[in-house]
Amino acid sequence: MQHDYYRGANYHGIKAALDEQGSLIGWQHNIVSNSIVEGLSVELAATMLPAWVPTEIARSLGKFVGKQAGPYDITTAEGAKVPYNIPNLSVAQIYFDPGIKTGFWRSVGYSHNCFVVESFIDEVANAGQQDPLLFRQQLLDPASRHAAVLALAAEKANWGNPNKDVSQGLAVVDPFESYCAMVAEVTVSGASYKIERILAAVDCGLVINPDIVKTQVEGAIIYALTAATKPPVTIADGRVVESNFHDLPVMRMNEIPVIEVHIIASEERPSGIGEIGVPAVAPAIANALFAATGQRLRQMPLLLS
């Protein structure tokens, strides 16, 4: 655990413009992140090339290949391309070397970019005094697969009519050519909160075995809940502090909320399912916490003050 390839840290600058009618007319998103491809290519070249190639030559070749991917690395930029119809749109990536080994964390760039995008679209809806669901739907093509999963998630969650003391938040994402919308339901007590339910609607094309799809999404949700709510890896004096699960806890069974997964019947070709349940979790929870408290959480883990 102390000598791994870690999920890269990143920083986002994002702003939007609304017209007098509250319509979204401008979007600018700047991503400061590392290049996973550049960092890993050095190690991969040293292990994948024939044994007769000297290690230093292999590493040099890997570094050269990796440089071709940076400073713009699609693996850390994916998920920043919004599905919404916005007339003026700008997305840029700025390369930053964190000085530690980084690698492919489940859902990779989608895991952080979707958190930013889907949290911020909620902020924009709030600034325009509009319902987060209706605001998204107005910006989506009604015939799109994004719109379909969003509508199904909202229907199954009875959006806008939660149980007493329960607040809802939602997010819609499109990782790995699949589509996923989630509604998170939370209850809040002071500075603590409980995630009561996560409801997911997914479209991954033609499904052969629905049980496998559901278990993949359920597992991804639990995985994402750990990242969204548990303490992160920390570094002090040039080394990783945490050494095992006693000081880097993961989500336990008694903490897991009710999880529902609904699958859209489709004749489209099969697409990704192993990672699509991750990206929407954090923004859906953050948006639900905003609905409950009015406090906007812009970094993970999601902690109320």
Side-chain angles (χ1 to χ4, degrees), residues 165-193:
D165 299 325
V166 171
S167 297
Q168 296 176 315
L170 56 81
V172 59
V173 298
D174 57 0
F176 308 106
E177 300 182 1
S178 293
Y179 303 82
C180 179
M182 286 189 188
V183 174
E185 296 183 339
V186 304
T187 54
V188 176
S189 178
S192 63
Y193 63 89

Side-chain angles (χ1 to χ4, degrees), residues 226 230 245 248-253 255:
T226 291
K230 297 294 185 180
F245 295 119
L248 189 69
V250 297
M251 183 68 60
R252 292 179 176 268
M253 289 181 69
E255 300 174 293

Side-chain angles (χ1 to χ4, degrees), residues 14 18 52 75 85 93 139 164 230 242 244 247 255:
I14 188 166
L18 297 168
W52 53 263
T75 64
N85 297 315
Q93 184 183 33
L139 293 169
K164 183 181 179 182
K230 297 294 185 180
E242 294 76 23
N244 214 316
D247 54 5
E255 300 174 293

Side-chain angles (χ1 to χ4, degrees), residues 72-94:
Y72 304 105
D73 183 349
I74 189 59
T75 64
T76 49
E78 58 190 1
K81 182 181 179 182
V82 299
Y84 306 111
N85 297 315
I86 306 172
N88 302 289
L89 180 69
S90 172
V91 178
Q93 184 183 33
I94 302 166

Side-chain angles (χ1 to χ4, degrees), residues 1 7 105-107 111 115 182 193 195 198 217-233 242 244-257 259 277-283 285 299-303:
M1 188 175 287
R7 182 191 191 191
W105 192 85
R106 194 171 185 179
S107 81
S111 70
F115 169 60
M182 286 189 188
Y193 63 89
I195 304 163
I198 300 282
V217 175
E218 289 168 352
I221 289 172
I222 295 168
Y223 186 88
L225 284 169
T226 291
T229 64
K230 297 294 185 180
V233 167
E242 294 76 23
N244 214 316
F245 295 119
H246 70 285
D247 54 5
L248 189 69
V250 297
M251 183 68 60
R252 292 179 176 268
M253 289 181 69
N254 66 320
E255 300 174 293
I256 296 170
I259 298 175
V278 173
V281 172
I285 295 171
Q299 66 183 35
M300 291 188 274
L302 301 172
L303 302 175

Side-chain angles (χ1 to χ4, degrees), residues 248-270:
L248 189 69
V250 297
M251 183 68 60
R252 292 179 176 268
M253 289 181 69
N254 66 320
E255 300 174 293
I256 296 170
V258 174
I259 298 175
E260 294 182 26
V261 180
H262 301 272
I263 304 170
I264 287 184
S266 174
E267 295 298 320
E268 298 287 343
R269 67 179 181 84

